[in-house]
Amino acid sequence: MLSARSLFQEILDNDESFRLFCSIAASGESQGGWENGRIAALVPPSERELAPKITRHGADEDKHGRIFNALMKKRGLEPVEIPPETDYTMLLEKYGIGLAHEKLKDDQPLTVQDIVTYLAHSRVTEQRASEQMELLRKHFSDDPDIGRAVRMISNDEDNHLAYCHEELLRFAYAGHGRAIQRTLRESALAEIRVYRDVSLAVMDHMGRILGWPRAKAATLAAGIHAVYAYDRLVGWRRMVALRMPERRDALSGPAQAAPEFA
């Protein structure tokens, strides 16, 4: 029977597919670390209290990138250059979601609206990350090879999502509610399209590595399209709702170290 667990187990058991999976994940996390680091450095004076939390967010992302690289190293594998069609972060930027890298490479301070845009984009992408890691934690939390990594990253992603909710609500109460809702909706609709395209590309590469029969590949592609159709119709709403999280001040303090991985 084709299931999320059996699919990922197949990817996990093959060195080449595992290397591609970890390389894609490590690249995205490292890119997120750089972006958050630049945003923290360019926070406008009126929002300097946010800088340590943004720095912590970036440090967590960097840590996740090191963890995925360490998982490869543990199996004697080297990272592989990722196909551009699987680069989730860069494709989001291509669609104009989040802050442009050209702006982040500059030394001009960001505006408050830039910070709102960053938080709204992060709220959407962290929703996806939290859900993906929750799925892996459900099936692989006790796995001897990746269980510790899955639990640690999943907990961090939940913290990131909580932080985005709390800070966006603070900005909403300060009068930015309309801009937040508009940016959240735009980000969510773009994200579900990019997620579909990246998922199709990743499954195509995995299928060729693992020699999937045409019927299996078609079934997986149909499932990805079905998820997109649901998200496009109603699922996007879960990505734009805001509520005060149970985890308050989730990104206070330094990032949790991961010496067992990196």
Side-chain angles (χ1 to χ4, degrees), residues 20 72 195 206:
L20 178 59
M72 285 187 280
Y195 181 72
M206 293 298 179

Side-chain angles (χ1 to χ4, degrees), residues 200-256:
L200 289 170
V202 170
M203 288 300 104
D204 180 60
H205 284 279
M206 293 298 179
R208 281 189 268 124
I209 291 171
L210 296 168
W212 288 341
R214 186 173 299 177
K216 181 174 182 177
T219 299
L220 288 169
I224 292 168
H225 283 293
V227 169
Y228 169 75
Y230 172 79
D231 278 348
R232 188 67 179 81
L233 185 63
V234 293
W236 63 272
R237 297 179 187 279
R238 77 187 187 284
M239 295 178 162
V240 305
L242 293 176
R243 63 183 182 280
M244 190 57 69
E246 293 182 8
R247 301 187 185 196
R248 302 291 295 275
D249 205 19
L251 294 190
S252 62
Q256 181 184 1

Side-chain angles (χ1 to χ4, degrees), residues 112-229:
V112 172
Q113 184 55 52
D114 288 332
I115 298 302
V116 169
T117 298
Y118 146 72
L119 286 169
H121 169 244
S122 295
R123 185 261 175 273
V124 169
T125 56
E126 293 297 343
Q127 178 77 38
R128 185 73 72 183
S130 178
E131 290 171 355
Q132 289 182 317
M133 292 311 303
E134 174 60 28
L135 181 64
L136 288 178
R137 185 167 60 185
K138 176 182 176 181
H139 296 299
F140 295 96
S141 180
D142 296 327
D143 185 274
D145 295 321
I146 66 169
R148 291 174 86 182
V150 166
R151 293 193 302 272
M152 176 173 285
I153 295 173
S154 180
N155 183 67
D156 287 345
E157 302 296 7
D158 289 347
N159 282 337
H160 299 167
L161 184 57
Y163 147 77
C164 291
H165 275 276
E166 187 170 5
E167 295 302 331
L168 282 171
L169 284 172
R170 179 173 67 84
F171 276 106
Y173 295 147
H176 297 275
R178 288 184 180 273
I180 289 170
Q181 284 301 316
R182 182 180 65 252
T183 307
L184 282 173
R185 189 176 190 279
E186 291 172 354
S187 297
L189 293 177
E191 193 280 339
I192 63 175
R193 183 169 64 249
V194 169
Y195 181 72
R196 176 202 60 189
D197 294 346
V198 168
S199 296
L200 289 170
V202 170
M203 288 300 104
D204 180 60
H205 284 279
M206 293 298 179
R208 281 189 268 124
I209 291 171
L210 296 168
W212 288 341
R214 186 173 299 177
K216 181 174 182 177
T219 299
L220 288 169
I224 292 168
H225 283 293
V227 169
Y228 169 75

Side-chain angles (χ1 to χ4, degrees), residues 69-87:
N69 282 317
L71 289 173
M72 285 187 280
K73 185 177 180 180
K74 185 178 179 180
R75 285 171 58 161
L77 304 172
E78 292 293 328
V80 64
E81 184 175 352
I82 70 168
E85 64 270 21
T86 68
D87 194 330

